[in-house]
Amino acid sequence: MSDLLEQHAARQDAAMAQAGCWPADSPWVRSAVAVLPRHCFAPEVVWSWDGARWEAVARGDAEERWASLVYGDPYDAAVTQVEDGLPSSSLSCPSVVADMLDSLRLDAGHRVLELGTGTGWNAALLAHRAGPGRVTSVEVDPGLAAGARRRLADAGVDVAVHVGDGAAGWPQAGPFDRVIATYAVETVPWAWVVQTRPGGRIVAPWGRLGHVALTVADDGASAEGWVQGLGMFMPARGVDQGLELHQVRERSPGGPAAAAFGRAAAGLADASLLFALRVLLPDVRVSTSSGGGAAATAWLHDAHSSWARLTDQPDGQTTVERGGPRRLDEEMTTGWDRWEKAGRPSLYDFGMTRTADEQWIWSEVDGVRRRWEPVPEPRPIRGAA
């Protein structure tokens, strides 16, 4: 490892430690990352967002910048592929990688199925723990699969990488003790449950916002478990990601602030509230910003035609600007009210059940379980701006 890469790797390791991101119950994760450093699985070109478009950063042209993107902050992913103007593969942020591996409860000798090989880094970490020949990884993109095979071979890691649809799993090598996905799904494929032994564990990102850990029942007829953490994930390949916020605003220009919001926009930074809103308003995306003395701002959009901006003002009021046919701020108020009436369950009070016929989200507080359903989407308001 060059001095430059060693410095960046050491900085990221220290930042992970300072933020408490290295899992105490799975010390092997930090050891594996030290043996299989992130840059060994990064392509020669990574991508940087310049505020308007994704810009290619080649290692050969700008190694310092390339290294800073590969070894970003604990909560920063390194985008490794862009298609049609949108990211389609990445080296996931190290904090989420560590958290998901911790949630997997992986032991030596476990047979592991990974869905979404990407660069091969996560598969390498899995193999470091489970052992040679114990990890099967499925990647839908032949080019990514070929690159991952090459990097794994160069690192001396024995992983079977196959090209296929991750939703189908890989029944030829099952049953598995552990299944882990590196991309988000709305519904956990039933094939993953079928290919996991009773008592086995499935860790998967759900809804691009958090990840769940499900345990397969003794009879194999269901899988159930708890939300493990919050994080943003790319969806399965081929899923329409909708429009970015700036595209929605271009499509539906808004006017000046025309309403007041009954709560502070800063409240939307609460991870538990955000997860509840993701369940209740599945198509509404929320982002918040504050700092440097600036007022807190929350952006809402539906990835199609409607958006709203909530801004906390010095006088304690929160103003609303909006565009498009839906009044997302009012929908947000409805969802927020439901979360509060349910007792403000925390992120870790939520869980998921998957059967062959359906999947649902629930919360459980003081032994009382409550099933959550999305709020019905209101009809568009004619002439709304």
Side-chain angles (χ1 to χ4, degrees):
M1 187 187 304
S2 70
D3 289 344
L4 172 65
L5 293 171
E6 187 173 351
Q7 290 169 8
H8 279 278
R11 181 194 56 77
Q12 188 178 83
D13 175 86
M16 288 277 289
Q18 184 174 7
C21 295
W22 292 120
D25 292 337
S26 303
W28 69 267
V29 175
R30 190 176 188 179
S31 301
V33 170
V35 173
L36 298 160
R38 192 170 165 90
H39 69 270
C40 290
F41 294 87
E44 292 297 301
V45 174
V46 294
W47 297 80
S48 175
W49 179 252
D50 67 4
R53 62 183 180 84
W54 289 98
E55 177 189 4
V57 179
R59 181 177 184 177
D61 296 333
E63 186 171 21
E64 171 66 41
R65 189 177 176 202
W66 179 89
S68 68
L69 291 170
V70 171
Y71 287 105
D73 291 336
Y75 306 102
D76 289 340
V79 174
T80 55
Q81 185 184 64
V82 172
E83 294 183 325
D84 298 324
L86 292 172
S88 53
S89 187
S90 70
L91 273 167
S92 296
C93 56
S95 61
V96 170
V97 170
D99 196 17
M100 290 183 65
L101 292 177
D102 181 43
S103 299
L104 196 61
R105 297 181 185 173
L106 181 62
D107 286 328
H110 275 158
R111 294 176 58 81
V112 186
L113 173 63
E114 180 196 44
L115 296 319
T117 316
T119 67
W121 185 49
N122 196 68
L125 300 177
L126 292 167
H128 182 82
R129 175 65 168 174
R134 308 301 290 182
V135 177
T136 299
S137 188
V138 179
E139 171 57 53
V140 70
D141 185 319
L144 291 179
R149 287 194 198 99
R150 183 180 65 254
R151 297 183 193 98
L152 288 162
D154 289 346
V157 180
D158 181 9
V159 171
V161 178
H162 302 283
V163 176
D165 180 0
W170 198 256
Q172 301 92 315
F176 299 96
D177 300 289
R178 299 290 186 268
V179 172
I180 184 170
T182 65
Y183 59 87
V185 293
E186 290 292 323
T187 301
V188 173
W190 183 242
W192 298 358
V193 180
V194 171
Q195 293 170 35
T196 305
R197 66 165 177 80
R201 199 164 173 88
I202 302 169
V203 172
W206 175 78
R208 290 195 283 183
L209 189 61
H211 69 279
V212 297
L214 310 179
T215 299
V216 177
D218 291 343
D219 61 3
S222 65
E224 183 172 279
W226 299 88
V227 172
Q228 301 292 303
L230 205 64
M232 298 294 288
F233 299 88
M234 292 180 188
R237 188 67 65 90
V239 172
D240 182 4
Q241 298 186 48
L243 301 178
E244 300 281 345
L245 172 62
H246 71 278
Q247 295 172 310
V248 177
R249 293 185 67 197
E250 289 170 0
R251 173 179 287 194
S252 304
F261 190 67
R263 294 179 171 85
L268 286 168
D270 184 299
S272 299
L273 172 59
L274 279 177
F275 187 83
L277 292 172
R278 175 61 183 82
V279 179
L280 295 168
L281 304 168
D283 68 333
V284 179
R285 305 180 189 185
V286 183
S287 59
T288 59
S289 63
S290 63
T297 299
W299 289 96
L300 320 174
H301 74 98
D302 64 0
H304 176 61
S305 61
S306 297
W307 62 272
R309 181 170 69 175
L310 315 176
T311 306
D312 292 340
Q313 302 295 337
D315 62 2
Q317 297 294 310
T318 300
T319 57
V320 179
E321 301 168 66
R322 65 168 80 100
R326 294 170 62 181
R327 293 185 174 177
L328 298 182
D329 53 300
E330 295 179 4
E331 295 181 43
M332 187 64 55
T333 297
T334 299
W336 202 324
D337 285 345
R338 291 200 179 189
W339 176 66
E340 290 184 334
K341 289 176 181 177
R344 302 168 62 94
S346 81
L347 174 67
Y348 303 105
D349 292 328
F350 284 95
M352 173 188 287
T353 298
R354 177 72 164 102
T355 69
D357 300 318
E358 61 176 333
Q359 171 185 291
W360 64 92
I361 300 292
W362 42 263
S363 65
E364 186 173 311
V365 181
D366 297 329
V368 178
R369 183 169 290 193
R370 178 180 185 274
R371 182 163 170 164
W372 289 61
E373 300 287 354
V375 175
E377 183 179 324
R379 293 179 179 178
I381 300 171
R382 294 180 182 273

PDB file of all heavy atoms in Angstrom, residues 255-274:
ATOM      1  N   GLY A 255     -44.071  28.681  -6.189  1.00  0.00           N
ATOM      2  CA  GLY A 255     -44.111  30.116  -5.938  1.00  0.00           C
ATOM      3  C   GLY A 255     -43.489  30.434  -4.598  1.00  0.00           C
ATOM      4  O   GLY A 255     -42.811  29.606  -3.989  1.00  0.00           O
ATOM      5  N   PRO A 256     -43.696  31.633  -4.104  1.00  0.00           N
ATOM      6  CA  PRO A 256     -43.159  32.012  -2.798  1.00  0.00           C
ATOM      7  C   PRO A 256     -43.845  31.244  -1.677  1.00  0.00           C
ATOM      8  O   PRO A 256     -44.878  30.590  -1.889  1.00  0.00           O
ATOM      9  CB  PRO A 256     -43.471  33.509  -2.717  1.00  0.00           C
ATOM     10  CG  PRO A 256     -44.649  33.678  -3.629  1.00  0.00           C
ATOM     11  CD  PRO A 256     -44.455  32.706  -4.746  1.00  0.00           C
ATOM     12  N   ALA A 257     -43.264  31.308  -0.467  1.00  0.00           N
ATOM     13  CA  ALA A 257     -43.843  30.622   0.678  1.00  0.00           C
ATOM     14  C   ALA A 257     -45.302  31.036   0.841  1.00  0.00           C
ATOM     15  O   ALA A 257     -45.623  32.226   0.913  1.00  0.00           O
ATOM     16  CB  ALA A 257     -43.061  30.962   1.939  1.00  0.00           C
ATOM     17  N   ALA A 258     -46.189  30.019   0.850  1.00  0.00           N
ATOM     18  CA  ALA A 258     -47.618  30.323   0.850  1.00  0.00           C
ATOM     19  C   ALA A 258     -48.358  29.695   2.013  1.00  0.00           C
ATOM     20  O   ALA A 258     -49.574  29.772   2.082  1.00  0.00           O
ATOM     21  CB  ALA A 258     -48.229  29.824  -0.458  1.00  0.00           C
ATOM     22  N   ALA A 259     -47.634  29.064   2.922  1.00  0.00           N
ATOM     23  CA  ALA A 259     -48.296  28.388   4.028  1.00  0.00           C
ATOM     24  C   ALA A 259     -47.330  28.277   5.188  1.00  0.00           C
ATOM     25  O   ALA A 259     -46.132  28.561   5.065  1.00  0.00           O
ATOM     26  CB  ALA A 259     -48.778  27.007   3.586  1.00  0.00           C
ATOM     27  N   ALA A 260     -47.868  27.861   6.332  1.00  0.00           N
ATOM     28  CA  ALA A 260     -47.040  27.605   7.511  1.00  0.00           C
ATOM     29  C   ALA A 260     -47.152  26.142   7.882  1.00  0.00           C
ATOM     30  O   ALA A 260     -48.196  25.511   7.681  1.00  0.00           O
ATOM     31  CB  ALA A 260     -47.491  28.485   8.673  1.00  0.00           C
ATOM     32  N   PHE A 261     -46.057  25.596   8.389  1.00  0.00           N
ATOM     33  CA  PHE A 261     -46.018  24.201   8.812  1.00  0.00           C
ATOM     34  C   PHE A 261     -46.071  24.177  10.332  1.00  0.00           C
ATOM     35  O   PHE A 261     -45.391  24.958  10.996  1.00  0.00           O
ATOM     36  CB  PHE A 261     -44.736  23.550   8.298  1.00  0.00           C
ATOM     37  CG  PHE A 261     -44.689  22.060   8.453  1.00  0.00           C
ATOM     38  CD1 PHE A 261     -45.559  21.254   7.731  1.00  0.00           C
ATOM     39  CD2 PHE A 261     -43.781  21.454   9.303  1.00  0.00           C
ATOM     40  CE1 PHE A 261     -45.501  19.861   7.847  1.00  0.00           C
ATOM     41  CE2 PHE A 261     -43.719  20.077   9.433  1.00  0.00           C
ATOM     42  CZ  PHE A 261     -44.581  19.271   8.700  1.00  0.00           C
ATOM     43  N   GLY A 262     -46.868  23.297  10.876  1.00  0.00           N
ATOM     44  CA  GLY A 262     -47.127  23.329  12.311  1.00  0.00           C
ATOM     45  C   GLY A 262     -46.038  22.783  13.192  1.00  0.00           C
ATOM     46  O   GLY A 262     -46.159  22.819  14.432  1.00  0.00           O
ATOM     47  N   ARG A 263     -44.962  22.288  12.614  1.00  0.00           N
ATOM     48  CA  ARG A 263     -43.855  21.747  13.387  1.00  0.00           C
ATOM     49  C   ARG A 263     -42.548  22.296  12.838  1.00  0.00           C
ATOM     50  O   ARG A 263     -42.505  22.872  11.755  1.00  0.00           O
ATOM     51  CB  ARG A 263     -43.842  20.213  13.322  1.00  0.00           C
ATOM     52  CG  ARG A 263     -45.050  19.552  13.990  1.00  0.00           C
ATOM     53  CD  ARG A 263     -44.931  18.050  13.831  1.00  0.00           C
ATOM     54  NE  ARG A 263     -45.917  17.325  14.606  1.00  0.00           N
ATOM     55  CZ  ARG A 263     -47.150  17.057  14.204  1.00  0.00           C
ATOM     56  NH1 ARG A 263     -47.550  17.494  13.009  1.00  0.00           N
ATOM     57  NH2 ARG A 263     -47.984  16.373  14.958  1.00  0.00           N
ATOM     58  N   ALA A 264     -41.469  22.057  13.559  1.00  0.00           N
ATOM     59  CA  ALA A 264     -40.158  22.519  13.102  1.00  0.00           C
ATOM     60  C   ALA A 264     -39.595  21.548  12.077  1.00  0.00           C
ATOM     61  O   ALA A 264     -39.628  20.323  12.262  1.00  0.00           O
ATOM     62  CB  ALA A 264     -39.203  22.634  14.291  1.00  0.00           C
ATOM     63  N   ALA A 265     -39.057  22.097  10.997  1.00  0.00           N
ATOM     64  CA  ALA A 265     -38.431  21.258   9.976  1.00  0.00           C
ATOM     65  C   ALA A 265     -37.289  20.440  10.561  1.00  0.00           C
ATOM     66  O   ALA A 265     -37.018  19.317  10.110  1.00  0.00           O
ATOM     67  CB  ALA A 265     -37.919  22.121   8.827  1.00  0.00           C
ATOM     68  N   ALA A 266     -36.608  20.985  11.573  1.00  0.00           N
ATOM     69  CA  ALA A 266     -35.484  20.273  12.190  1.00  0.00           C
ATOM     70  C   ALA A 266     -35.902  18.920  12.751  1.00  0.00           C
ATOM     71  O   ALA A 266     -35.091  17.997  12.848  1.00  0.00           O
ATOM     72  CB  ALA A 266     -34.887  21.133  13.308  1.00  0.00           C
ATOM     73  N   GLY A 267     -37.189  18.761  13.106  1.00  0.00           N
ATOM     74  CA  GLY A 267     -37.663  17.496  13.652  1.00  0.00           C
ATOM     75  C   GLY A 267     -37.563  16.339  12.679  1.00  0.00           C
ATOM     76  O   GLY A 267     -37.533  15.175  13.082  1.00  0.00           O
ATOM     77  N   LEU A 268     -37.506  16.657  11.376  1.00  0.00           N
ATOM     78  CA  LEU A 268     -37.440  15.602  10.372  1.00  0.00           C
ATOM     79  C   LEU A 268     -36.059  14.972  10.254  1.00  0.00           C
ATOM     80  O   LEU A 268     -35.841  14.092   9.426  1.00  0.00           O
ATOM     81  CB  LEU A 268     -37.891  16.141   9.016  1.00  0.00           C
ATOM     82  CG  LEU A 268     -39.407  16.363   8.901  1.00  0.00           C
ATOM     83  CD1 LEU A 268     -39.746  17.165   7.660  1.00  0.00           C
ATOM     84  CD2 LEU A 268     -40.132  15.023   8.882  1.00  0.00           C
ATOM     85  N   ALA A 269     -35.121  15.400  11.083  1.00  0.00           N
ATOM     86  CA  ALA A 269     -33.815  14.735  11.142  1.00  0.00           C
ATOM     87  C   ALA A 269     -33.857  13.528  12.076  1.00  0.00           C
ATOM     88  O   ALA A 269     -32.876  12.778  12.160  1.00  0.00           O
ATOM     89  CB  ALA A 269     -32.748  15.720  11.620  1.00  0.00           C
ATOM     90  N   ASP A 270     -34.962  13.313  12.785  1.00  0.00           N
ATOM     91  CA  ASP A 270     -35.107  12.203  13.718  1.00  0.00           C
ATOM     92  C   ASP A 270     -35.189  10.884  12.955  1.00  0.00           C
ATOM     93  O   ASP A 270     -36.095  10.674  12.147  1.00  0.00           O
ATOM     94  CB  ASP A 270     -36.361  12.408  14.569  1.00  0.00           C
ATOM     95  CG  ASP A 270     -36.541  11.360  15.645  1.00  0.00           C
ATOM     96  OD1 ASP A 270     -36.664  10.165  15.305  1.00  0.00           O
ATOM     97  OD2 ASP A 270     -36.555  11.723  16.835  1.00  0.00           O
ATOM     98  N   ALA A 271     -34.253   9.970  13.204  1.00  0.00           N
ATOM     99  CA  ALA A 271     -34.186   8.714  12.451  1.00  0.00           C
ATOM    100  C   ALA A 271     -35.441   7.875  12.645  1.00  0.00           C
ATOM    101  O   ALA A 271     -35.923   7.229  11.702  1.00  0.00           O
ATOM    102  CB  ALA A 271     -32.950   7.923  12.871  1.00  0.00           C
ATOM    103  N   SER A 272     -35.987   7.864  13.839  1.00  0.00           N
ATOM    104  CA  SER A 272     -37.180   7.053  14.100  1.00  0.00           C
ATOM    105  C   SER A 272     -38.386   7.593  13.348  1.00  0.00           C
ATOM    106  O   SER A 272     -39.165   6.837  12.757  1.00  0.00           O
ATOM    107  CB  SER A 272     -37.452   7.006  15.603  1.00  0.00           C
ATOM    108  OG  SER A 272     -36.363   6.421  16.295  1.00  0.00           O
ATOM    109  N   LEU A 273     -38.545   8.917  13.362  1.00  0.00           N
ATOM    110  CA  LEU A 273     -39.630   9.532  12.609  1.00  0.00           C
ATOM    111  C   LEU A 273     -39.454   9.283  11.120  1.00  0.00           C
ATOM    112  O   LEU A 273     -40.419   8.955  10.415  1.00  0.00           O
ATOM    113  CB  LEU A 273     -39.675  11.034  12.900  1.00  0.00           C
ATOM    114  CG  LEU A 273     -40.638  11.864  12.040  1.00  0.00           C
ATOM    115  CD1 LEU A 273     -42.065  11.370  12.179  1.00  0.00           C
ATOM    116  CD2 LEU A 273     -40.529  13.340  12.403  1.00  0.00           C
ATOM    117  N   LEU A 274     -38.234   9.409  10.618  1.00  0.00           N
ATOM    118  CA  LEU A 274     -37.987   9.193   9.195  1.00  0.00           C
ATOM    119  C   LEU A 274     -38.380   7.786   8.772  1.00  0.00           C
ATOM    120  O   LEU A 274     -38.969   7.583   7.705  1.00  0.00           O
ATOM    121  CB  LEU A 274     -36.505   9.426   8.870  1.00  0.00           C
ATOM    122  CG  LEU A 274     -36.060  10.879   8.695  1.00  0.00           C
ATOM    123  CD1 LEU A 274     -34.555  10.924   8.463  1.00  0.00           C
ATOM    124  CD2 LEU A 274     -36.796  11.548   7.542  1.00  0.00           C
TER     125      LEU A 274
END
